[in-house]
Amino acid sequence: MTYQAIVFLPLLGAIIAGFFGRFITDRGSEIVTTALLFLSAILSWIVFWRVGFDAETIKVPIAQWITSGELEVAWSLRIDTLTGVMLVVVTTVSSLVHLYSIGYMHEDNTRSRFFAYLSLFTFAMLMLVTSDNLLQMFFGWEGVGLASYLLIGFWFKKPEANAAAMKAFIVNRVGDFGFALGIFGLFAVLGSIQLDAIFAAASGKSGETMEFLGYQVDIMTCLCLLLFMGAMGKSAQFLLHTWLPDAMEGPTPVSALIHAATMVTAGVFMVARLSPLFELAPTALLVVTFVGTLTAFFAATVGLVQNDIKRVVAYSTCSQLGYMFAACGLGAYTVAIFHLFTHAFFKALLFLGAGSVIHAMHHEQDMRNMGGLAPKIRITWAMMLIGTLALTGVGYPHVIGFAGFHSKDAIIEAAYAAHTPYNYVFWTLVGVAFMTSFYSWRLMFMTFHGKTRAEPETFKHAHESPYVMLVPLFVLAIGAVAAGYVFKDYFIGDFYKQFWNKSIYEGPNNHILHEMHEVAKNIAWVSWAPFGAMAAGFGLAWLYYIQMPWLPAATASTFKPVYLFFLNKWYFDELYQLIFVNPAKWLGRVLWKGGDGAIIDGIGPNGIAARVMDVTGRVVKMQTGFVYHYAFVMMIGVAIIITYFMYTTGGFGQ
C-alpha cells in the first residue's frame, strides 16, 4: 500500500480541499493538503532508498483500464530507481511549496481552491512518473497541463494571468499533439504501448524505414522525434519556450513547484524513461542535443537583461533544462537526471527566495526598484546566496562544491567527451555557464546590495518573511549545498550501474560516462573551464553593478540593437504574433463578419436563421399530440419501406 499511498494521498487532499473547503475553511484545507503531502514525501524517501540497487522493477496493479481489440491498457504503477528519484523530487518540493504557501497566500480568501489545485497537480505529476504505459503517462502529462493552466491563471481577475494561462495551455497543445502521434505510431508499429513490451520489440524495428511523401524515413527516428516534440513543449525548449516566462504571472509558489522543479522536467524524464527507444535513433539524439544546446544559449542571453526577478529565474530554468536535454542527446541520461535532481533543490530555493523578496517589498518584482535589501532581510539574502552559489556551480573540481557544481560540470565534461563537431556543445555550454554566473550575480547585486532604488516608504517597511515561509528555504538550502556531493557516486560515479540497474538503458556503443570520467582524469583544463567561466561571470557582474554601476546603461546604449534583441526575447512573441495569431484573428473576423454576419444573418429580410425558423415552425405545427396521427404516419412509412424493398429485390416481377 506504500506505493498507492504516495500517489493517491495528494489526490485525496485535492478532493477534500476542492469539494469540502467551504466546510473545513481555508485553514483546514491548508493543514489537510500539506499534511498529506508531507506524508507522501516521507514515504517517497523510504521508497527511494528501498528501490536503489534493487535489480527488479516493481509493478503495482491498480485496475484494468481499457480493452479494445488489440489494445489492452492496465492502470499500474512502475517502481524502479528512476521512479524513486522522481518521487523524491516531486513530493519533497511539493510538500515544501505547500508549507510555504500557507504564509505566502495568507491574505488570499480563496486558499482552499489554491491548495486543491496544488495537490491536483502533484497527483498528476506522480501519475506521470509512475506510469507503466504511454497512455497512463499521457494522462499524467495532460493532467499537469490542466493544473498548470489553473494555477497560472489562479488570479483570474488579472487579464495578464488569464492570457499567460491560455498561452501555456495552447503552446503545450502543439507539443502534446506530437507526443500523441508518437504514441499512436508506436502502437501501430510495435502493437503495444506498455513500456516493457515496446522496449523488447523496438530493437526488431531498428533500421527499418517507411515511405512518407515519397521519401524513405527511418521509423524509430520519426517516432522518437514525435515523442521529443512533446518534451519540447512541456520542458519549454527552443521554439516552444514562449509560455514559460509569461507563466510567472501565477503566484510565486506555483513558479517554484511547476516551472522550476517538476512539470518542466517531465520532458527530460520522458526521454530518460524511453532511452531504449532513443538509443535506436541516433539522428533523433542529435536533434535532442542541438535543441538542448540552443535552448541553453538562447535562454541565457535573454536572462542577461531581464529586470523582473522571477523572469530572470524563469529563463535560468529554461537554460538549465537545455543542459539536461543536451546531456540526454549525448547519451548521458543519468547525468541529465542527476542535474534534474540537484536543480530541483536550488531552483525551487531561488524561486521561493524571490517570493520572499517580493513579499518583503509589498509585491514589487522589478529589480530596478530594489537594492540594499540585505540588511533588511538577512535570512532571505543568505538563502538566495546559497541558491546562487549552487546554480553558478561554485566548487573545487573533483573535490567538493555546491549541488549544481557536481551535476552541471559533469554535463560539460560529457559534452567534451562526446567530441561533437568543433566541440560546439562543449564551448556553447561553457559560454552559457559564464552568462549564468553573470545574470545570477546581477540578480543578487541589484536586489540586495548597493544603494536602494526602492520607494522610501516601501524600503522602510521591508521585513523578513514569517518562519512558515523560511523553513522550506532552510530545507531546500540543505539540498542545494549537499545533494550533489552526497549522491554523485550513486548517480554518475562508481556505483551508478548498480544504482540505476535497468531503469535507464545505455546501448552497447554508449560509453559516454566512461569517456567523461577519462576526460576528468586526464584533461584538467576541461574540468577547470566551467569554474573559470563562473569566476569570470561573477567578476564582470561585480564590476558592472557594484564597482561601476554606470556601466550597464552605457553598455546598453552602445550596443542598443543587441540589447533590444535580448530584452525582447529574440522577438519570438512578435514573430509568432505575425505568423500565427494575426492570421488566426483575420480568419476568425472573416468568418464572423462575412460568414455569420453577411450570410447567416444577412440574406433575406431577416437572414438564413429566420428562414430556418420558418421551416422548423411549420414542422412543429405538424406535431398534433394525437396518437392515431403518429400511428398513421408510421404505417405510411412502413408501407413505403416495404414497397422500396420489393421493388429493389425484384419482388414485383415474380
Side-chain angles (χ1 to χ4, degrees):
M1 291 296 291
T2 301
Y3 308 114
Q4 295 94 320
I6 292 172
V7 175
F8 290 105
L9 283 176
L11 177 62
L12 177 62
I15 293 172
I16 293 173
F19 291 101
F20 305 103
R22 65 180 62 186
F23 303 109
I24 64 175
T25 72
D26 289 338
R27 185 65 173 172
S29 297
E30 294 173 343
I31 294 173
V32 169
T33 54
T34 304
L36 291 175
L37 252 298
F38 269 96
L39 180 56
S40 181
I42 293 170
L43 294 175
S44 295
W45 278 99
I46 294 173
V47 168
F48 173 70
W49 290 113
R50 181 187 299 171
V51 299
F53 299 100
D54 192 342
E56 296 299 323
T57 298
I58 301 171
K59 305 288 185 69
V60 183
I62 302 296
Q64 188 66 26
W65 189 12
I66 297 174
T67 301
S68 178
E70 296 181 359
L71 178 64
E72 292 188 5
V73 181
W75 200 284
S76 61
L77 308 181
R78 182 186 185 92
I79 308 297
D80 56 18
T81 306
L82 181 57
T83 305
V85 171
M86 295 304 297
L87 289 178
V88 164
V89 168
V90 173
T91 57
T92 301
V93 174
S94 182
S95 59
L96 294 173
V97 166
H98 273 71
L99 180 62
Y100 179 93
S101 299
I102 293 175
Y104 191 87
M105 302 291 291
H106 75 281
E107 295 179 351
D108 198 293
N109 57 7
T110 57
R111 297 195 301 280
S112 293
R113 180 166 61 91
F114 181 77
F115 279 85
Y117 290 167
L118 283 182
S119 292
L120 177 64
F121 167 82
T122 307
F123 163 71
M125 190 69 194
L126 291 173
M127 288 306 307
L128 192 160
V129 301
T130 58
S131 56
D132 191 39
N133 61 75
L134 291 175
L135 189 60
Q136 188 176 328
M137 185 183 292
F138 194 73
F139 169 83
W141 198 270
E142 295 303 301
V144 294
L146 168 64
S148 175
Y149 170 79
L150 296 172
L151 286 166
I152 295 170
F154 179 76
W155 287 322
F156 56 85
K157 294 183 179 180
K158 291 174 57 180
E160 299 85 357
N162 285 324
M166 288 189 290
K167 187 176 183 179
F169 198 79
I170 293 168
V171 173
N172 270 275
R173 296 291 71 72
V174 176
D176 294 353
F177 179 68
F179 190 20
L181 289 178
I183 295 173
F184 299 154
L186 283 171
F187 180 73
V189 172
L190 303 179
S192 177
I193 56 173
Q194 201 276 332
L195 294 182
D196 286 338
I198 62 176
F199 294 162
S203 58
K205 297 295 180 179
S206 178
E208 290 192 14
T209 61
M210 62 180 181
E211 185 173 345
F212 180 72
L213 298 178
Y215 295 93
Q216 291 298 317
V217 180
D218 185 81
I219 292 176
M220 293 310 302
T221 298
C222 180
L223 293 176
C224 287
L225 287 177
L226 288 171
L227 296 170
F228 178 60
M229 186 176 172
M232 288 176 64
K234 197 65 70 184
S235 296
Q237 293 300 283
F238 191 73
L239 299 181
L240 296 181
H241 65 276
T242 53
W243 67 269
L244 183 62
D246 288 10
M248 297 303 105
E249 292 294 339
T252 298
V254 173
S255 303
L257 176 62
I258 295 180
H259 309 119
T262 52
M263 189 186 88
V264 292
T265 63
V268 181
F269 163 79
M270 185 259 280
V271 174
R273 173 63 84 198
L274 301 181
S275 54
L277 303 183
F278 280 87
E279 285 289 280
L280 299 174
T283 303
L285 287 178
L286 286 176
V287 174
V288 174
T289 303
F290 177 76
V291 171
T293 305
L294 182 57
T295 303
F297 176 78
F298 155 76
T301 61
V302 178
L304 293 173
V305 296
Q306 296 301 302
N307 296 309
D308 185 306
I309 188 171
K310 286 174 64 177
R311 285 180 182 264
V312 175
V313 185
Y315 277 107
S316 172
T317 298
C318 191
S319 185
Q320 297 304 306
L321 289 166
Y323 269 96
M324 298 176 206
F325 277 110
C328 285
L330 298 173
Y333 308 102
T334 59
V335 181
I337 298 299
F338 185 33
H339 194 49
L340 183 157
F341 181 76
T342 61
H343 177 267
F345 291 102
F346 62 74
K347 191 52 64 68
L349 175 61
L350 286 170
F351 262 118
L352 296 185
S356 184
V357 172
I358 295 168
H359 180 269
M361 293 295 290
H362 304 283
H363 305 291
E364 176 62 67
Q365 295 184 199
D366 195 326
M367 296 186 299
R368 292 171 295 184
N369 299 324
M370 298 180 187
L373 288 176
K376 291 277 189 177
I377 46 176
R378 183 66 67 180
I379 298 177
T380 298
W381 169 81
M383 296 298 101
M384 290 285 284
L385 177 63
I386 291 173
T388 301
L389 293 170
L391 171 61
T392 56
V394 174
Y396 191 90
H398 309 306
V399 181
I400 194 169
F402 288 83
F405 163 77
H406 292 283
S407 57
K408 181 162 66 72
D409 285 23
I411 293 176
I412 293 175
E413 290 170 358
Y416 185 87
H419 298 298
T420 54
Y422 304 103
N423 262 332
Y424 79 94
V425 176
F426 169 77
W427 289 114
T428 301
L429 295 185
V430 170
V432 171
F434 165 75
M435 290 187 280
T436 300
S437 180
F438 178 83
Y439 66 64
S440 298
W441 290 108
R442 172 178 178 265
L443 183 151
M444 288 296 295
F445 294 149
M446 288 184 70
T447 303
F448 295 104
H449 299 278
K451 294 181 180 179
T452 185
R453 300 172 299 280
E455 291 292 331
E457 195 66 20
T458 302
F459 184 76
K460 178 181 177 182
H461 291 94
H463 59 283
E464 190 61 87
S465 300
Y467 274 95
V468 71
M469 293 173 62
L470 294 177
V471 168
L473 300 185
F474 299 154
V475 178
L476 291 169
I478 295 172
V481 171
Y485 180 77
V486 171
F487 293 100
K488 177 182 64 174
D489 285 340
Y490 300 103
F491 280 78
I492 62 172
D494 297 335
F495 310 116
Y496 90 94
K497 286 190 176 180
Q498 301 94 313
F499 179 74
W500 290 107
N501 295 306
K502 301 176 183 177
S503 61
I504 292 180
Y505 175 76
E506 295 176 343
N509 298 320
N510 186 344
H511 307 294
I512 188 66
L513 257 71
H514 172 74
E515 294 168 359
M516 179 189 80
H517 291 306
E518 289 299 312
V519 167
K521 290 178 182 177
N522 301 319
I523 310 177
W525 70 266
V526 172
S527 300
W528 282 96
F531 178 88
M534 175 274 299
F538 168 80
L540 190 63
W542 177 83
L543 177 68
Y544 264 63
Y545 295 96
I546 299 297
Q547 189 68 17
M548 304 171 69
W550 53 268
L551 261 181
T555 304
S557 177
T558 304
F559 301 99
K560 191 172 183 178
V562 177
Y563 171 75
L564 291 177
F565 184 67
F566 291 165
L567 185 66
N568 289 284
K569 303 158 286 188
W570 291 26
Y571 293 101
F572 268 102
D573 285 327
E574 290 79 4
L575 185 64
Y576 287 176
Q577 182 80 20
L578 180 66
I579 296 175
F580 301 114
V581 178
N582 288 345
K585 286 184 176 180
W586 175 84
L587 179 62
R589 192 174 294 108
V590 168
L591 294 176
W592 169 36
K593 295 291 187 180
D596 191 35
I599 299 176
I600 303 298
D601 294 334
I603 296 178
N606 295 304
I608 292 178
R611 303 287 71 77
V612 172
M613 289 297 296
D614 290 343
V615 174
T616 55
R618 294 189 183 98
V619 174
V620 169
K621 291 178 182 178
M622 296 174 62
Q623 306 295 323
T624 64
F626 295 109
V627 174
Y628 59 85
H629 286 171
Y630 299 145
F632 178 69
V633 172
M634 291 171 61
M635 290 178 62
I636 293 175
V638 170
I640 292 173
I641 292 172
I642 293 173
T643 302
Y644 174 78
F645 176 76
M646 294 180 66
Y647 180 80
T648 55
T649 57
F652 288 117
Q654 296 178 353

